[in-house]
Amino acid sequence: MSTIAASPGISRTASALRRLYFVRFAFAIVWALVMFTTASKLGPVAVTLLVLYPLFDVAAAIVDARASRTTGSPALLYVNIAVSLITAIGVAIACASGIPAVLRVWGVWAVVAGLVQLIVGVTRRKMGGQWPMIISGGISVLAGASFIVGATADNPTLTNAAGYAIPGGIFFLISAFRLGRAAKGN
């Protein structure tokens, strides 16, 4: 079995992504736990959390884009930044109309962001550690569709939106561990 050493650019990118993915895991778990406590209604805490999540995604995509410049085009990450900014605004507006409106906006975001994550993961396969991101992107697309459908249910809640963050966080954790070899340069 041969080992191919990673280029310095891939090693630096993998190291930066690894740190980012650990932070994204921690944020997602804490966010979901707090969100579960407020998921039955749109109170001030729930609204703040719902707007904060896509804004955190913006910050993470900015860090990712800066780290990834040496290993590929960050164009899709810029798309993700724009989509997540629009989502934060859309969620804030939708909160005034109720949970179904929030679920629709959240669902569209999950679909688009999931597609972006899936495509970015596919383009980064040679770096390693991207299969969890590819799977997570696909699951996000399906979850987004379920949020849109769930918005039509009797008494919809935000519980599924809170639960959505947990598998995403776990996939970030798995990917962070899998990026360890590439971060070390082997």
Side-chain angles (χ1 to χ4, degrees):
M1 183 165 139
S2 67
T3 303
I4 299 172
S7 72
I10 288 177
S11 180
R12 278 191 302 276
T13 300
S15 182
L17 290 178
R18 189 168 194 252
R19 286 189 304 275
L20 175 63
Y21 289 177
F22 280 128
V23 170
R24 289 195 75 161
F25 162 74
F27 177 82
I29 298 303
V30 170
W31 182 90
L33 292 174
V34 176
M35 190 65 198
F36 273 127
T37 66
T38 65
S40 62
K41 61 183 177 129
L42 279 173
V45 174
V47 170
T48 301
L49 289 171
L50 288 165
V51 172
L52 180 64
Y53 198 92
L55 290 176
F56 182 82
D57 195 55
V58 168
I62 290 169
V63 171
D64 192 334
R66 286 182 180 161
S68 302
R69 286 185 186 167
T70 59
T71 58
S73 171
L76 282 172
L77 295 169
Y78 296 140
V79 169
N80 190 53
I81 291 166
V83 168
S84 293
L85 275 173
I86 291 166
T87 298
I89 295 165
V91 165
I93 293 167
C95 284
S97 297
I99 291 175
V102 171
L103 288 173
R104 286 184 195 97
V105 173
W106 198 265
V108 170
W109 175 53
V111 169
V112 175
L115 286 171
V116 169
Q117 183 179 15
L118 189 142
I119 295 167
V120 168
V122 167
T123 63
R124 290 179 173 169
R125 276 187 327 226
K126 67 180 178 182
M127 183 186 312
Q130 294 304 302
W131 281 108
M133 295 294 90
I134 293 167
I135 294 167
S136 179
I139 290 171
S140 184
V141 170
L142 297 174
S146 77
F147 297 145
I148 294 166
V149 171
T152 63
D154 295 334
N155 279 335
T157 69
L158 299 166
T159 304
N160 289 343
Y164 165 73
I166 294 172
I170 291 169
F171 281 118
F172 276 115
L173 179 65
I174 293 167
S175 193
F177 283 124
R178 292 185 52 90
L179 280 169
R181 285 184 76 191
K184 292 176 185 165
N186 36 329

